[in-house]
């Protein structure tokens, strides 16, 4: 099962559509409530990251009876030092973004805590791909 | 959808139901379908919120209650009246008078439910401050909300405060008090006047409890009629024999929106009423969208209990009367005319000790199957079917929306041929006869709706 969602640069107001749909689908599959919550929180974080930093992108969701895999692909500045970005509190968000209540530097650490597998590929000046997996069993 | 989870107080009278489908289109959990010209309820989806009762034009949705005569199975008959019951009557009939009338129509004792509200809020506040890990904590006062969370937001069941409602506190108090006074336990019958169906359902199958604290439930509209008749039949002045002195000014408003929130005194809390508002808000809470929330007072009805389906009169007027009474009580408390310390506080320790309910379990209605691979097959089928449907939610198929029909088909509870657009399409391609499509419509909406009314006229 596959769905896709577009991410529009700086459109924080519409963040969360993908995570809502993912939540509903996982509920229908009778997935454990805590697993649903973990995935929804991770996807929402990653989506907000892409909205904040990139020039738009796409969310690809793939679900089968064993796992859910969400890939968020953006074209943007890329992450220079992934290791540093994974540290709690590290942030490169602009003042404008922080004013809206985002950019606390908890995005990537929070995602890592919530998913079973996390894979980040990034190229400076090209974009970032974040792949998150939550296993059902 | 064969398994039935809950007792439901809301029922459909098939004789009165003419299959208008208003209930189906207004049900917030899509629990109703039309079959054979009658509304039918998927019982494990119904949360007893009463939206169907409100919109039914023929009185076919009704609330099953205990027979009033059943109070006479007991020698000592206690009526628990919530404060909004007194708010049904205009200001010229004060609370003491209504108390007196209640003891004239068959009860031996009358007590106001909110008598225990202060103790209830103390226990709740203690629970909230010692359970940081489950924030935001959600009030369990409204049984329709508890059921909503069980079926639609199972991830939030651990956020529910596992504490009995004030009605149970007050029932425990009066039962213990009477036993202490020497009344044999088996002689005591406690009856609760309910403003809604959800409270009846909660009493008949209490969530997280084996047995209810009350012996019977009486509908507020029935009791309003009985009390009002007594008042009207009485020649001239009705004598007040009792003084209503069970509640304090801050407790009397407990069941109004914001009433519980104010008493619980949390740093960041919200009071949200009306079922659709609650669903929208819980969607956000479930995603962790709202930060640092301590407590949520959620009510299925607009204005809280004054908006209950069994109340008589306008909910804003009832709300105003209760507020007015609270103001008058506050004046009397300030002047020392009445004490804020009520008799029930003597039994505080006993009530606190018996205040907890057992574990509240999730009962998801969202899941398509227990088995994830079967659920996955059904979900795949839904996603195949949905794009074939017109997406106009016309309900002619007997389901509230195209999406609901797709779900029903995937779960073998309906057929793709139930959709009139599919029928027209097939007729156009000569794959279905007009008679076949008429038969399908008759199956869903009943024989009469396709009577040839043009010829008959």
């Amino acid at each position: 099962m596959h769905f896709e969602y577009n991410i529009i640069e700086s459109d924080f107001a519409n963040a969360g559509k993908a995570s809502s749909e993912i939540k509903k689908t996982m509920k229908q599959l009778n997935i454990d409530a805590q697993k649903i919550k973990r995935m929804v929180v991770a996807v929402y974080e990653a989506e907000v990251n892409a909205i904040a930093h990139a020039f738009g992108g796409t969310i690809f969701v793939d679900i089968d009876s064993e796992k859910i895999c969400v890939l968020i692909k953006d074209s943007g500045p890329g992450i220079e030092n992934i290791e540093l970005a994974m540290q709690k509190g590290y942030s490169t968000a602009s003042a404008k973004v922080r004013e809206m209540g985002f950019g606390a530097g908890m995005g990537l650490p929070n995602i890592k805590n919530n998913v079973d597998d996390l894979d980040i590929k990034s190229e400076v000046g090209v974009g970032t791909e974040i792949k998150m997996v939550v296993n059902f069993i | 959808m064969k398994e039935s989870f809950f007792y439901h107080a809301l029922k459909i009278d098939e004789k009165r139901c003419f299959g208008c489908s208003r209930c189906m289109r207004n049900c917030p959990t899509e629990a109703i379908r039309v079959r054979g010209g009658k509304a039918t309820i998927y019982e494990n989806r119904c949360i007893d919120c009463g939206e169907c009762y409100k919109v039914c034009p023929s009185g076919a949705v009704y609330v099953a209650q205990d027979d009033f005569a059943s109070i006479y199975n007991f020698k000592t008959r206690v009526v628990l009246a919530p404060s909004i019951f007194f708010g049904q009557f205009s200001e010229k009939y004060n609370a003491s008078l209504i108390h007196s009338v209640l003891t004239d129509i068959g009860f031996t004792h009358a007590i106001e439910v909110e008598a225990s509200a202060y103790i209830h809020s103390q226990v709740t506040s203690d629970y909230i401050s010692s359970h940081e890990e489950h924030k935001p904590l959600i009030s369990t006062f409204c049984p329709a909300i508890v059921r909503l969370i069980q079926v639609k937001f199972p991830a939030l069941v651990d956020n529910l405060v596992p504490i009995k409602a004030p009605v149970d506190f007050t029932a425990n108090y009066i039962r213990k008090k009477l036993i202490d006074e020497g009344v044999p336990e088996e002689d005591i019958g406690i009856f609760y006047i309910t403003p809604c169906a959800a409270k009846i359902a909660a009493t008949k199958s209490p969530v997280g409890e084996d047995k209810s604290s009350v012996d019977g439930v009486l509908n507020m509209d029935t009791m309003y009629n009985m009390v009002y008749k007594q008042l009207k039949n009485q020649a001239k002045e009705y004598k007040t024999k009792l003084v209503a002195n069970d509640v304090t000014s801050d407790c009397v408003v407990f069941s109004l929106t914001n009433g519980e929130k104010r008493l619980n005194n949390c740093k960041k809390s919200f009071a949200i009423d009306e079922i659709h508002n609650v669903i929208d808000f819980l969607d956000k809470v479930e995603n962790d969208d709202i930060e640092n929330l301590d407590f949520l007072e959620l009510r299925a009805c607009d204005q809280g209990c004054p908006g209950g389906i069994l109340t008589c009169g306008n909910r804003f007027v009832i709300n105003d009367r209760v507020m007015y009474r609270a103001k008058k009580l506050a004046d009397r408390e300030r002047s020392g005319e009445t004490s804020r310390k009520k008799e029930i506080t003597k039994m505080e320790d006993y009530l606190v000790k018996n205040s907890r309910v057992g574990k509240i379990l999730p009962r998801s209605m969202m899941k398509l199957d227990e088995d994830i691979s079967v659920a996955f097959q059904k979900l795949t089928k839904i996603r195949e079917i949905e794009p074939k449907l017109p997406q106009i939610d016309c309900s002619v198929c007997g389901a509230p929306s195209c999406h609901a029909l797709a779900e029903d088909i995937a779960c073998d509870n309906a057929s793709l041929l139930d959709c009139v657009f599919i029928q027209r399409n097939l007729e156009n391609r000569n794959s279905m006869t007009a008679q076949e499509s008429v038969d399908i419509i008759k199956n869903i909406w009943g024989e009469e709706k396709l009577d040839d009314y043009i010829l008959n006229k």
Side-chain angles (χ1 to χ4, degrees):
Chain A
M1 205 173 295
H2 179 85
F3 350 106
E4 288 182 24
Y5 302 89
N6 282 330
I7 297 174
I8 298 159
E9 185 190 354
S10 296
D11 187 9
F12 294 99
N14 282 308
K17 291 230 167 75
S19 41
S20 283
E21 194 62 36
I22 288 168
K23 180 171 81 178
K24 197 176 152 211
T25 308
M26 289 175 83
K27 278 184 179 180
Q28 288 181 307
L29 291 176
N30 196 25
I31 306 299
D32 172 71
Q34 291 313 314
K35 285 185 199 242
I36 299 178
K37 196 165 184 181
R38 278 165 45 205
M39 194 74 210
V40 165
V41 168
V43 172
Y44 186 71
E45 265 319 334
E47 188 184 355
V48 168
N49 278 351
I51 294 168
H53 304 293
F55 319 123
T58 312
I59 303 176
F60 303 91
V61 183
D62 280 285
I63 304 175
D64 60 33
S65 57
E66 281 159 19
K67 64 180 183 305
I68 173 166
C69 173
V70 179
L71 176 71
I72 300 188
K73 230 173 169 172
D74 69 45
S75 44
I79 303 169
E80 233 169 84
N81 185 338
I82 294 178
E83 214 175 295
L84 201 58
M86 292 299 291
Q87 285 175 18
K88 285 181 181 174
Y90 177 82
S91 176
T92 56
S94 67
K96 184 184 155 201
V97 169
R98 284 171 195 249
E99 234 168 65
M100 297 174 74
F102 300 97
M106 292 304 291
L108 286 180
N110 203 6
I111 293 171
K112 193 176 161 52
N113 279 339
N114 280 298
V115 297
D116 296 325
D117 279 311
L118 175 65
D119 183 30
I120 305 176
K121 290 193 186 101
S122 189
E123 200 179 324
V124 174
V126 179
T128 303
E129 274 185 48
I130 297 187
K131 192 176 144 190
M132 298 166 282
V133 175
V134 167
N135 297 315
F136 295 158
I137 304 151
Chain B
M1 311 228 172
K2 284 150 207 125
E3 197 179 349
S4 173
F5 287 119
F6 303 124
Y7 171 89
H8 291 288
L10 284 166
K11 314 236 185 246
I12 293 165
D13 180 348
E14 293 222 336
K15 285 193 201 89
R16 289 189 172 194
C17 176
F18 63 98
C20 72
S21 81
R22 283 174 180 80
C23 56
M24 176 177 81
R25 284 177 279 120
N26 280 286
C27 174
T29 59
E30 294 196 325
I32 301 176
R33 299 292 183 274
V34 176
R35 296 283 182 267
K38 308 287 171 191
T40 58
I41 300 177
Y42 282 163
E43 298 218 327
N44 55 353
R45 285 184 168 228
C46 171
I47 58 167
D48 287 286
C49 67
E51 291 296 308
C52 50
Y53 182 97
K54 282 187 212 161
V55 297
C56 180
S58 62
V61 181
Y62 68 98
V63 180
Q65 66 178 324
D66 289 309
D67 183 9
F68 185 80
S70 69
I71 72 165
Y72 294 105
N73 294 339
F74 301 91
K75 274 187 200 148
T76 303
R77 302 174 291 275
V78 184
V79 60
L80 296 181
S83 65
I84 53 159
F85 182 68
F86 304 96
Q88 313 288 292
F89 302 90
S90 76
E91 276 83 359
K92 68 176 176 182
Y93 304 119
N94 66 37
S96 297
L97 181 66
I98 304 298
H99 262 260
S100 309
V101 177
L102 284 169
T103 56
D104 278 342
I105 58 171
F107 296 100
T108 56
H109 299 72
I111 182 165
E112 198 159 342
V113 170
E114 283 78 0
S116 62
Y118 190 72
I119 298 171
H120 176 272
S121 71
Q122 294 285 306
V123 182
T124 306
S125 298
D126 286 349
Y127 185 88
I128 295 168
S129 55
S130 58
H131 289 81
E132 290 275 337
E133 71 280 13
H134 289 142
K135 282 196 171 165
L137 287 148
I138 302 173
S139 166
T140 45
F141 173 77
C142 175
I145 297 298
V146 174
R147 289 185 168 196
L148 174 73
I149 289 173
Q150 284 182 294
V151 303
K152 210 173 157 81
F153 299 95
L156 296 174
V157 287
D158 289 337
N159 299 56
L160 289 164
V161 177
I163 293 185
K164 289 174 184 167
V167 61
D168 302 304
F169 278 59
T170 307
N172 287 345
Y173 158 70
I174 195 77
R175 195 181 298 274
K176 175 92 164 54
K177 181 175 177 254
L178 290 167
I179 291 169
D180 289 352
E181 286 169 5
V183 180
E185 192 168 356
E186 63 276 16
D187 285 356
I188 305 169
I190 301 180
F191 293 83
Y192 169 58
I193 303 178
T194 182
C196 68
K199 286 276 185 196
I200 302 180
T203 307
K204 300 291 174 188
S205 62
V207 175
E209 280 295 279
D210 300 332
K211 195 183 168 292
S212 166
S213 53
V214 302
D215 300 289
V217 184
L218 303 163
N219 290 355
M220 195 166 282
D221 51 358
T222 309
M223 294 307 295
Y224 173 84
N225 287 344
M226 288 184 75
V227 170
Y228 203 68
K229 189 176 176 192
Q230 184 79 6
L231 285 167
K232 282 285 161 195
N233 282 356
Q234 214 62 25
K236 290 198 177 155
E237 288 273 292
Y238 202 94
K239 285 274 183 303
T240 301
K241 299 181 295 185
L242 293 162
V243 180
N245 187 26
D246 299 324
V247 291
T248 57
S249 56
D250 45 358
C251 290
V252 76
V253 296
F254 187 90
S255 73
L256 274 43
T257 301
N258 276 310
E260 186 182 11
K261 179 188 144 172
R262 261 189 229 117
L263 271 177
N264 284 352
N265 199 17
C266 284
K267 234 188 203 162
K268 188 165 181 179
S269 55
F270 281 85
I272 295 166
D273 59 16
E274 204 279 325
I275 190 82
H276 298 91
N277 295 336
V278 170
I279 292 172
D280 283 351
F281 197 82
L282 286 176
D283 252 324
K284 297 205 181 309
V285 172
E286 206 180 32
N287 293 357
D288 275 348
D289 271 6
I290 303 151
E291 288 174 340
N292 303 321
L293 262 180
D294 294 314
F295 178 70
L296 296 176
E297 174 200 304
L298 306 177
R299 304 288 184 257
C301 296
D302 183 36
Q303 304 297 309
C305 292
I309 56 171
L310 299 172
T311 60
C312 299
N314 180 279
R315 60 190 180 279
F316 299 101
V317 175
I318 298 169
N319 191 78
D320 181 66
R321 285 182 189 141
V322 178
M323 293 295 278
Y324 178 69
R325 189 170 154 223
K327 190 179 159 288
K328 280 204 314 196
L329 278 172
D331 289 344
R332 286 169 51 201
E333 284 163 5
R334 262 192 303 273
S335 70
E337 202 182 320
T338 180
S339 165
R340 283 185 51 81
K341 199 164 170 63
K342 305 295 180 193
E343 217 190 304
I344 194 168
T345 53
K346 287 182 203 154
M347 225 183 271
E348 184 163 349
D349 291 343
Y350 171 79
L351 295 177
V352 171
K353 216 172 14 175
N354 292 292
S355 61
R356 293 288 279 268
V357 294
K359 195 162 170 52
I360 302 169
L361 299 168
R363 290 172 159 178
S364 174
M365 66 169 202
M366 307 283 287
K367 64 179 176 208
L368 294 164
D369 204 277
E370 288 290 337
D371 181 337
I372 183 168
S373 53
V374 178
F376 190 77
Q377 283 165 15
K378 288 181 179 172
L379 190 57
T380 310
K381 201 167 169 190
I382 292 171
R383 289 175 56 84
E384 274 167 30
I385 296 163
E386 240 191 312
K388 294 180 185 160
L389 299 173
Q391 306 303 326
I392 59 165
D393 297 344
C394 68
S395 307
V396 178
C397 59
S401 64
C402 291
H403 180 78
L405 176 63
E407 270 185 32
D408 286 352
I409 296 168
C411 296
D412 292 327
N413 290 322
S415 153
L416 193 57
L417 301 181
D418 292 345
C419 173
V420 280
F421 285 77
I422 305 269
Q423 290 163 21
R424 287 300 91 78
N425 204 331
L426 292 175
E427 281 178 40
N428 197 29
R429 287 191 281 159
N430 292 321
S431 309
M432 182 182 262
T433 64
Q435 186 58 49
E436 282 170 327
S437 66
V438 164
D439 287 345
I440 291 169
I441 297 297
K442 279 185 175 174
N443 256 331
I444 300 167
W445 296 95
E447 296 280 333
E448 306 84 35
K449 290 200 182 63
L450 279 182
D451 277 353
D452 200 340
Y453 67 90
I454 297 171
L455 288 179
N456 288 347
K457 263 177 192 170

